[in-house]
Amino acid sequence: MSNETDPAMTKGTRRGLLIILSSPSGAGKSTLARRLMEWDDSLSFSVSATTRPARPGERDGVDYHFVDHETFRQMIARGEMLEHAEVFGNFYGSPKGPVEAAINDGRDVLFDIDWQGGQQIAGSSLRDAVVSIFILPPSIAELERRLNARGQDPAQVIRARMEKSRAEISHWAEYDYVLINDDLNETETRLRAILTAERLKRIRQPGLVEHVRRLNAEYEELMK
Ligand code: ADP
Ligand code: 5GP
């Protein structure tokens, strides 16, 4: 849709973006998501619902909505999930309501979800607003080191995540952007650059039509 025909653009408002971060567990996407949120407090984080138990330090309603299987099933049945998937034997899903409220209000929403969720959102009616970013670890040895260093999962959970990491990585080419998270500060800088550039796309700049109209009015005045 061009700026001229999108009513939101001519009104000077825009719908928010859906920024999807995926990676194998341990590559650093939660850390990067946190840093992006600190950089730009207008970003809204999509707090997923999950049936997995909370890790030490995780807060209900902040990191996740921790729910039981029955509650999760009901949320799906009521059509309240934008996407949902089974990951590592637990269910995860992105509640639709807060996302719609944020993007209709012009706020960009950050998702920390797996490739299955990324595919579902990229295939939904919201696809034009999706910016998807895949985070790769610098090496598999470093991925394992980070999973251990996080120190929050029992050994067999870490083993299972390592075993699944290859399958998650196999989806890298489905994403708009791919970052190798070697140096954390460097990756954060690149993420900021992606977000800044995506927001500057012509079709996403509110008020451009109006601005150019004013420039043209100035020409008319000057040529009188
Ligand atoms: P994910 O959300 O992808 O599972 P986390 O963000 O929890 O991963 O990161 C896993 C661990 O690796 C954390 O202890 C985090 O501090 C650390 N970490 C993340 N990025 C880097 C990096 N670039 N260099 C070193 N350690 C990192
Ligand atoms: P963790 O248990 O480490 O927090 O997350 C495990 C995996 O589930 C990660 O790859 C994370 O991105 C993914 N995940 C978290 N929330 C959601 C969600 O709402 N939907 C989907 N599809 N995946 C999610």
Side-chain angles (χ1 to χ4, degrees), residues 21-26 29-30 46-50 52-53 55 58 63-64 72 81 83-88 90-95 111-118 120 147 150 153 161 168:
L21 281 184
S22 299
S23 79
S25 185
K29 66 192 166 314
S30 311
S46 170
V47 180
S48 297
T50 183
R52 103 155 147 67
R55 294 190 186 118
E58 282 185 331
D63 300 290
Y64 280 105
F72 196 93
M81 292 295 199
E83 60 76 33
H84 61 90
E86 187 176 346
V87 189
F88 308 126
N90 294 303
F91 292 94
Y92 294 82
S94 310
F111 293 81
D112 171 342
I113 61 177
D114 83 330
W115 65 271
Q116 304 175 82
Q120 289 172 48
L147 278 172
R150 188 163 65 188
D153 294 305
R161 285 171 184 239
E168 181 79 29

Side-chain angles (χ1 to χ4, degrees), residues 14-216:
R14 70 161 172 95
R15 289 186 95 194
L17 298 172
L18 289 84
I19 303 148
I20 298 175
L21 281 184
S22 299
S23 79
S25 185
K29 66 192 166 314
S30 311
T31 307
L32 288 161
R34 233 179 350 258
R35 284 183 169 216
L36 265 192
M37 303 285 302
E38 281 165 16
W39 169 63
D40 180 350
D41 60 14
S42 77
L43 272 173
S44 167
F45 184 69
S46 170
V47 180
S48 297
T50 183
T51 58
R52 103 155 147 67
R55 294 190 186 118
E58 282 185 331
R59 288 160 300 164
D60 190 26
V62 177
D63 300 290
Y64 280 105
H65 299 289
F66 295 100
V67 299
D68 58 26
H69 280 83
E70 182 51 22
T71 307
F72 196 93
R73 202 190 55 73
Q74 284 172 5
M75 290 177 82
I76 296 171
R78 288 196 296 258
E80 290 171 10
M81 292 295 199
L82 189 55
E83 60 76 33
H84 61 90
E86 187 176 346
V87 189
F88 308 126
N90 294 303
F91 292 94
Y92 294 82
S94 310
K96 199 187 283 178
V99 174
E100 286 180 344
I103 61 172
N104 288 337
D105 198 29
R107 274 176 298 132
D108 300 335
V109 182
L110 195 56
F111 293 81
D112 171 342
I113 61 177
D114 83 330
W115 65 271
Q116 304 175 82
Q119 273 190 358
Q120 289 172 48
I121 297 180
S124 76
S125 60
L126 298 170
R127 74 177 72 85
D128 290 348
V130 170
V131 178
S132 62
I133 305 159
F134 198 88
I135 313 287
L136 285 171
S139 68
I140 302 307
E142 173 63 11
L143 182 67
E144 188 167 25
R145 194 200 65 74
R146 287 183 193 170
L147 278 172
N148 282 306
R150 188 163 65 188
Q152 287 181 332
D153 294 305
Q156 88 261 22
V157 170
I158 292 182
R159 217 166 25 249
R161 285 171 184 239
M162 281 301 292
E163 279 163 15
K164 286 273 184 158
S165 64
R166 189 170 192 165
E168 181 79 29
I169 287 175
S170 74
H171 292 277
W172 68 276
E174 295 161 20
Y175 286 70
D176 299 324
Y177 298 92
V178 180
L179 299 175
I180 299 172
N181 181 23
D182 193 348
D183 179 80
L184 191 54
N185 290 333
E186 182 60 34
T187 311
E188 184 190 352
T189 302
R190 289 176 179 175
L191 266 179
R192 291 181 186 184
I194 291 169
L195 200 48
T196 303
E198 287 288 341
R199 287 170 169 171
L200 285 171
K201 281 193 168 162
R202 173 178 46 77
I203 55 160
R204 293 184 182 142
Q205 281 206 62
L208 269 190
V209 172
E210 200 41 50
H211 183 73
V212 176
R213 257 188 215 133
R214 275 198 300 273
L215 295 181
N216 283 330

